[in-house]
Amino acid sequence: MEINFKVNDLDQIPKEPAHYGELPAVAMKGESYGYWNKAFSNWLYQNQKLNLWKSTGLNEFSKVGESDRDFRIRLQQLARERRDEATDKLRQKYSPKFASLQEQMRRAQAAVEREREQSRQQKMQTALSFGTTLLGGFFGT
């Protein structure tokens, strides 16, 4: 028979006019409690059932009374949190390297643009020089 109550619901002192009786002599011996604890544990193991689920990947157990669905939802949330933590750690670890690579790429793009502009100016200079030579040849200067 299972009784549902909370330990806090138990009274610390008896209600009047009742009173607590004396403890039996066996209850006064400390070793009796060890024996009773073991006997109660054996009785629980043999007569009571507790279903718990385990996630080996996340090393988590379900809580007492937690449904399979609720356990799976909690595992999904935990997996997302751990993934986010791992992502943050990787971002922190590689952010200096990433910033350095971005700076290198910016400098390389600036160099390409500078060389492109120099090439454009060189083409213009070559065209003007060629034009001057042709005009000089026609006009005999």
Side-chain angles (χ1 to χ4, degrees), residues 4-138:
N4 291 322
F5 65 88
K6 296 179 182 169
V7 174
N8 293 338
D9 293 341
L10 298 175
D11 291 333
Q12 296 293 323
I13 56 173
K15 296 194 189 276
E16 293 297 328
H19 64 279
Y20 290 124
E22 293 295 319
L23 284 177
V26 70
M28 302 298 265
K29 297 178 183 175
E31 60 269 6
S32 297
Y33 289 95
Y35 170 77
W36 292 333
N37 187 17
K38 187 172 184 174
F40 183 63
S41 295
N42 288 335
W43 178 85
L44 281 175
Y45 179 77
Q46 294 170 0
N47 297 302
Q48 298 297 312
K49 182 178 178 182
L50 178 64
N51 290 324
L52 292 177
W53 290 276
K54 179 182 180 185
S55 167
T56 54
L58 296 172
N59 199 25
E60 286 289 321
F61 289 93
S62 65
K63 296 178 181 175
V64 175
E66 185 176 34
S67 70
D68 183 41
R69 177 182 176 274
D70 291 342
F71 180 57
R72 289 176 188 269
I73 290 171
R74 189 166 59 87
L75 288 177
Q76 288 173 348
Q77 180 64 29
L78 183 62
R80 281 191 293 271
E81 290 171 0
R82 289 188 182 172
R83 179 203 61 208
D84 291 346
E85 287 174 7
T87 301
D88 288 343
K89 284 182 183 178
L90 286 174
R91 281 193 179 128
Q92 288 175 356
K93 179 179 178 180
Y94 289 107
S95 67
K97 294 176 185 179
F98 185 70
S100 173
L101 289 173
Q102 282 183 320
E103 179 61 22
Q104 286 178 4
M105 190 164 70
R106 187 195 61 76
R107 285 194 306 252
Q109 287 172 339
V112 166
E113 187 60 35
R114 187 174 51 251
E115 289 175 10
R116 187 177 292 141
E117 184 60 32
Q118 288 174 353
S119 173
R120 199 173 311 134
Q121 288 177 359
Q122 185 65 32
K123 286 178 186 176
M124 183 66 80
Q125 187 67 29
T126 301
L128 285 175
S129 176
F130 183 69
T132 304
T133 304
L134 281 178
L135 286 176
F138 286 131

